[in-house]
Amino acid sequence: MTMQREAEGAPPQLGAKQKRTIAGGAIGTLMEYFDYYLYGLAAATVFPHVFFSGDSEFVAQLSSFASFAVGFLFRPLGGLVFGAIGDRLGRKVTLLVTVIGMGLSTAAIGLIPSDAAIGATAPILLILMRMLQGLFVGGEMGGAATMVVEHAPVGRRGFFGAFLISGAGIANVLSAGMFAGLGAGPESFFMTWGWRIPFVFSLVLSIIAILLRRHLEESEEFQEHARNAAAATTKARSPLLEVFRHPKNTILGILIGLPQSIAGYIVLTYGLAYMVAEGTAASVGFLGTMIVGLLQIVIAPAYGALSDKVGRRTVYIAGCVGFAVLVWPTFLLYSTESAGLIWLGMVVGFVIPGVAMQATLSTMLTEMFDVEQRTTGVNIGYQLSNTLGGGLAPLIATALVGWASGSIWPVIVYVVAICLIGAIATAAASIRPDTANAGRLHEKVAH
């Protein structure tokens, strides 16, 4: 009966175990994006005044985005450390440690005094906590994506994997909503204590994540691998060494992830600083980010389901092309100072192309690596692309616009170049035969 429903194209029926796995994976992605979107919003609007107040406005903004980039530098290290743990000891262990670390480091950022109170110690502490945040975030996506996709039925992996990005949409709504609500009051309160509340709130999310993840079970695929490894007479290779036995997919995985990694941080994070510099109130950007998040929650699974029908490559490459074409109209809309047009720009620039890439990437990366090195492989591709792309994107965009005396054109060229690299790498990647065209394979199985 289940096969008949799926063959007829009916929505997938989720079992209790699958629902727990999706919820457990999505809560970590929610935390990952909540922490990073929150830091991005604060880096664009608050941190230049709280932690870098002794500098000129341009230098303070540049320094703030530099601290934002620092967290990404530690994400690959976290990906390697927690990827190895996940591939050897199980995905569940990794997923519990990462949410605890993310919650504690993010909450600590909200407790750091301003530079007016403790001088240069304030930005130093900010950077140290940002490093820790990056380390724990680095191990999150690989474990979550692997856990969710391995539990998904053949032909539905794109749909299941995309729920992680629905978690990111909730994070968008939550982080921007809290900033918008707290920012609606007196500016003096927001700039001293108000902005800190969402950071400390990360502890609450951490507790929820622990409660959801403590009941997760390893997939049958991983359990079989663990049994075979235990029975083997030869010593298992390191997951990292196993990954680099397939250098083509490892390198391509990094290049593939670049366009999706810069999409949110160019359109939403740098875009917020850009529109504020153009004279728009920050609250307009906060509300627009909430709108984006709400749309992301429902559109991500739709893109994932589409990738099950037409293939991951098709959807991802279309997202790359769409982002390259739509980024210029997005910034034209940002320059209007009209709230409605700015919100349209955020949807056009991120929801349409960016969510298409994000909803497809994690599943596609898991399909590029075998079970014994899958968490490590996904982490390397995802985290290095986010470090080289998203982490540096606001800093690069700020520097390019400063160099061009306020012109946005260098940023447009930068985005187009990254999208071209990502599209070519996606076309060249090797995907496991049983999931390269999951929709067609599933149709054969159903018949």
Side-chain angles (χ1 to χ4, degrees):
M1 186 65 175
T2 301
M3 277 193 174
Q4 182 180 354
R5 284 179 58 84
E6 292 178 350
E8 291 172 355
Q13 301 299 301
L14 306 182
K17 181 178 178 180
Q18 293 169 325
K19 290 178 181 178
R20 286 197 303 271
T21 303
I22 289 177
I27 185 64
T29 310
L30 188 159
M31 282 192 67
E32 172 190 348
Y33 279 86
F34 176 79
D35 293 349
Y36 267 61
Y37 283 153
L38 195 61
Y39 198 102
L41 293 172
T45 59
V46 176
F47 290 168
H49 309 286
V50 174
F51 296 115
F52 306 99
S53 61
D55 300 320
S56 68
E57 184 176 343
F58 175 74
V59 173
Q61 187 67 76
L62 208 59
S63 300
S64 182
F65 279 144
S67 74
F68 177 78
V70 164
F72 284 86
L73 298 178
F74 280 77
R75 287 175 67 153
L77 176 59
L80 292 176
V81 171
F82 293 110
I85 293 173
D87 286 327
R88 286 190 177 276
L89 302 181
R91 324 311 191 193
K92 180 179 177 179
V93 175
T94 295
L95 294 177
L96 284 171
V97 174
T98 54
V99 292
I100 294 171
M102 285 191 293
L104 291 174
S105 56
T106 302
I109 291 173
L111 301 176
I112 300 172
S114 68
D115 62 358
I118 59 174
T121 304
I124 291 173
L125 288 175
L126 176 69
I127 290 170
L128 285 174
M129 290 304 103
R130 181 66 173 163
M131 289 176 179
L132 286 175
Q133 192 186 52
L135 183 71
F136 288 107
V137 166
E140 173 58 35
M141 179 56 82
T146 300
M147 176 72 82
V148 170
V149 172
E150 284 181 349
H151 279 82
V154 175
R156 297 294 186 184
R157 290 183 170 182
F159 177 76
F160 272 60
F163 275 101
L164 297 176
I165 304 306
S166 292
I170 297 171
N172 247 334
V173 175
L174 193 58
S175 59
M178 294 182 79
F179 255 49
L182 292 164
E187 183 179 359
S188 58
F189 168 76
F190 179 70
M191 296 301 291
T192 52
W193 297 105
W195 69 267
R196 300 176 183 275
I197 295 173
F199 281 85
V200 177
F201 178 75
S202 186
L203 286 176
V204 176
L205 294 178
S206 186
I207 293 171
I208 295 172
I210 293 169
L211 293 175
L212 285 173
R213 287 185 166 181
R214 65 178 179 167
H215 297 300
L216 290 179
E217 301 174 29
E218 299 294 349
S219 69
E220 293 180 8
E221 187 176 5
F222 179 80
Q223 291 180 46
E224 181 181 355
H225 161 66
R227 287 192 295 268
N228 293 339
T233 56
T234 57
K235 184 178 179 181
R237 287 190 178 94
S238 160
L240 181 59
L241 293 178
E242 285 294 311
V243 165
F244 282 103
R245 288 181 65 210
H246 310 281
K248 175 187 173 182
N249 269 11
T250 302
I251 294 169
L252 289 177
I254 297 168
L255 299 179
I256 288 169
L258 291 176
Q260 72 83 33
S261 72
I262 71 170
Y265 296 117
I266 287 291
V267 174
L268 303 180
T269 302
Y270 173 72
L272 177 57
Y274 179 85
M275 66 180 73
V276 168
E278 292 287 302
T280 301
S283 59
V284 172
F286 296 154
L287 290 172
T289 304
M290 289 179 65
I291 294 170
V292 165
L294 288 169
L295 292 172
Q296 188 175 2
I297 293 168
V298 296
I299 289 177
Y303 274 130
L306 180 63
S307 77
D308 287 328
K309 300 290 186 183
V310 303
R312 321 285 179 233
R313 287 186 221 268
T314 303
V315 176
Y316 195 86
I317 291 174
C320 291
V321 174
F323 187 33
V325 170
L326 295 172
V327 64
W328 181 47
T330 295
F331 279 91
L332 287 179
L333 291 168
Y334 283 178
S335 300
T336 63
E337 299 183 37
S338 164
L341 292 177
I342 287 172
W343 296 338
L344 176 62
M346 297 172 87
V347 172
V348 166
F350 179 71
V351 176
I352 295 174
V355 176
M357 293 185 286
Q358 287 188 346
T360 313
L361 178 68
S362 59
T363 303
M364 187 161 58
L365 287 176
T366 63
E367 294 170 349
M368 291 166 61
F369 297 95
D370 295 326
V371 63
E372 63 268 19
Q373 77 274 142
R374 185 171 292 150
T375 307
T376 302
V378 173
N379 272 340
I380 289 175
Y382 183 79
Q383 302 303 348
L384 277 176
S385 65
N386 271 276
T387 298
L388 299 174
L392 298 176
L395 182 64
I396 290 172
T398 301
L400 286 174
V401 171
W403 169 77
S405 303
S407 172
I408 197 64
W409 271 107
V411 176
I412 307 303
V413 173
Y414 163 64
V415 168
V416 171
I418 293 294
C419 288
L420 181 62
I421 291 170
I424 292 173
T426 304
S430 299
I431 300 175
R432 292 179 64 196
D434 62 334
T435 53
N437 191 337
R440 183 178 300 171
L441 175 64
H442 182 69
E443 185 177 349
K444 290 179 180 178
V445 172
H447 282 84

